[in-house]
């Protein structure tokens, strides 16, 4: 079982006040190839009206970043895609990833008309694969841009 949470985990908007802290979060060297940089993601979110970027807080501290994509006219209208998700290297292994994903799924459930969440990750990212599977994400067998895709039916 994960460690007891010392702090409440919540998601919040990435704003003018907190974006720099989000951009300064770091992955371990052997994880850096697994996810795009937060700075890149924040920039991307400013030009993509369907991107929802979220700072992950534990208490008052920003410990991670998550971004999901609302469906637009070209997409499957019932699916939200989580396409960026990271916990800072100094905060990994404490259950924060699980807590943050729980928050994200709860937030997505509130969006009218959504019945699936999709997520993608590099196939060699065993930690991600195990975490998502434990939530009920099922791999679709599709590989796109080198990433495995999995879906959770809400």
């Amino acid at each position: 079982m994960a460690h007891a949470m010392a702090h409440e985990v919540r998601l919040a908007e990435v704003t003018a006040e907190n974006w720099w802290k989000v951009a300064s979060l770091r992955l371990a060297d052997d994880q850096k190839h697994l996810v795009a940089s937060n700075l890149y993601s924040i920039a991307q979110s400013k030009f993509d009206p369907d991107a929802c970027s979220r700072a992950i807080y534990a208490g008052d501290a920003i410990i991670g970043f998550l971004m999901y994509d609302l469906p637009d006219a070209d997409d499957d209208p019932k699916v939200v895609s989580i396409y960026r998700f990271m916990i800072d290297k100094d905060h990994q292994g404490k259950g924060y990833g699980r807590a943050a994903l729980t928050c994200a799924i709860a937030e997505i459930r509130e969006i009218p008309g959504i019945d699936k969440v999709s997520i993608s990750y590099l196939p060699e990212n065993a930690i991600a694969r195990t975490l998502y599977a434990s939530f009920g994400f099922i791999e679709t067998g599709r590989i796109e841009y080198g990433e495995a895709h999995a879906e959770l039916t809400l």
Side-chain angles (χ1 to χ4, degrees):
M1 195 57 210
H3 303 275
M5 290 292 158
H7 303 289
E8 179 85 13
V9 173
R10 61 188 169 85
L11 304 183
E13 200 75 47
V14 175
T15 64
E17 285 72 46
N18 69 11
W19 74 269
W20 184 244
K21 282 190 175 150
V22 172
S24 348
L25 296 169
R26 292 287 168 258
L27 289 168
D29 287 344
D30 63 349
Q31 298 172 321
K32 285 183 179 154
H33 68 287
L34 298 175
V35 68
S37 83
N38 292 347
L39 193 56
Y40 176 89
S41 297
I42 292 165
Q44 185 182 359
S45 74
K46 293 304 161 198
F47 301 102
D48 178 353
D50 301 316
C52 297
S53 57
R54 297 287 182 263
I56 302 169
Y57 281 83
D60 295 332
I62 295 177
I63 54 130
F65 175 72
L66 182 141
M67 193 155 83
Y68 61 85
D69 197 46
L70 299 173
D72 65 21
D74 302 332
D75 298 325
D76 181 329
K78 296 177 165 49
V79 180
V80 163
S81 174
I82 297 174
Y83 61 109
R84 300 285 152 66
F85 182 29
M86 63 83 71
I87 301 293
D88 183 85
K89 62 184 173 61
D90 296 335
H91 297 283
Q92 291 178 12
K94 301 175 182 174
Y96 290 135
R98 174 170 298 280
L101 191 56
T102 302
C103 292
I105 291 168
E107 185 172 299
I108 291 165
R109 274 185 206 275
E110 299 299 309
I111 303 167
I114 300 299
D115 62 15
K116 262 187 195 163
V117 181
S118 86
I119 204 155
S120 59
Y121 44 89
L122 289 172
E124 66 266 26
N125 190 344
I127 292 171
R129 171 179 268 155
T130 303
L131 174 66
Y132 304 145
S134 75
F135 275 83
F137 280 90
I138 295 165
E139 291 193 2
T140 63
R142 200 174 81 208
I143 302 276
E144 213 171 274
Y145 304 112
E147 296 195 336
H149 283 253
E151 290 182 339
L152 173 69
T153 302
L154 297 177

